[in-house]
């Protein structure tokens, strides 16, 4: 995990193309040989960081998906879990975003490009959870939207925002991070026309 964490920070700060395995090794005070012991290439390491970032997201929300609660409360809970995960694993989530762009622009060799496409299917499966949450909350009359694709994309822009603009400060209190997450959820819910109570 140390290698992936170091790599995620390097990819986040410099991007895939500008990051070298030497830089990753320096970040974790290790040797490039140690990295090559686990990964055959930079691309393989990048893809593992991407996959891990997605699995972190799934692990954050899946325990809440089957909770016995009103649909809108489940939606709020899952949105909150996602935002908190995004904040706490920001470097990994930044790699996920880079991977999406790389797939769109075809900037990886064929073998790695095929794996990027498989990871995109994982993202689609993750997105499906949110589609279901939106449909259930809408059926219950708690939110409203005209087109689910637009609602879903707008929702993700809101709850993924911290990947772009949030930078944790050293020693930042946990309640400050919670407040950021709660506000992201508030805006996301208001975007969906929800007028009920929020934390």
């Amino acid at each position: 995990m140390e290698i992936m964490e170091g790599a995620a920070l390097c990819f986040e700060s410099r991007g895939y193309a500008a990051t070298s395995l030497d830089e990753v090794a320096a970040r974790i005070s290790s040797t490039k040989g140690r990295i090559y012991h686990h990964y055959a290439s930079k691309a393989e390491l990048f893809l593992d960081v991407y996959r891990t970032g997605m699995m972190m997201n799934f692990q954050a929300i899946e325990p809440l998906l089957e909770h016995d609660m009103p649909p809108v409360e489940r939606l709020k809970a899952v949105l909150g879990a996602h935002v908190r995960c995004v904040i706490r694993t920001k470097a990994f989530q930044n790699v996920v975003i880079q991977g999406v762009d790389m797939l769109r622009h075809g900037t990886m060799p064929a073998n790695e490009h095929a794996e990027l496409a498989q990871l995109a299917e994982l993202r689609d499966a993750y997105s499906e959870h949110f589609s279901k949450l939106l449909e259930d909350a809408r059926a219950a009359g708690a939110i409203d939207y005209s087109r689910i694709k637009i609602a879903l994309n707008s929702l993700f822009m809101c709850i993924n925002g911290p990947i772009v603009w949030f930078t944790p400060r050293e020693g930042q209190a946990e309640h400050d991070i919670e407040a950021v997450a709660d506000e992201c959820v508030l805006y996301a819910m208001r975007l969906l026309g929800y007028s009920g109570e929020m934390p």
Side-chain angles (χ1 to χ4, degrees), residues 89-173:
T89 65
K90 181 173 174 281
F92 283 83
Q93 305 310 323
N94 190 284
V95 169
V96 171
I97 288 178
Q98 288 183 48
V100 172
D101 287 339
M102 290 165 76
L103 178 64
R104 186 178 297 122
H105 297 112
T107 54
M108 267 196 167
N111 286 347
E112 286 81 6
H113 187 82
E115 191 164 350
L116 270 180
Q118 290 178 348
L119 288 170
E121 293 176 7
L122 190 63
R123 286 186 71 252
D124 290 344
Y126 187 73
S127 181
E128 276 301 309
H129 286 310
F130 288 82
S131 293
K132 177 71 164 58
L133 290 164
L134 289 180
E135 289 169 354
D136 289 349
R138 183 185 181 197
I143 63 170
D144 194 23
Y145 53 84
S146 297
R147 299 181 185 178
I148 192 164
K149 186 172 183 180
I150 293 174
L152 193 61
N153 287 335
S154 300
L155 180 71
F156 275 119
M157 286 177 64
C158 195
I159 62 175
N160 283 334
I163 299 172
V164 177
W165 52 256
F166 181 79
T167 303
R169 301 185 308 273
E170 188 172 338
Q172 187 169 26

Side-chain angles (χ1 to χ4, degrees), residues 6-16 18-19 23 27 91 94 98:
L9 290 168
C10 289
F11 291 135
E12 179 184 38
S13 63
R14 292 179 53 77
Y16 174 79
T19 296
E23 288 171 309
R27 169 79 69 162
N94 190 284
Q98 288 183 48

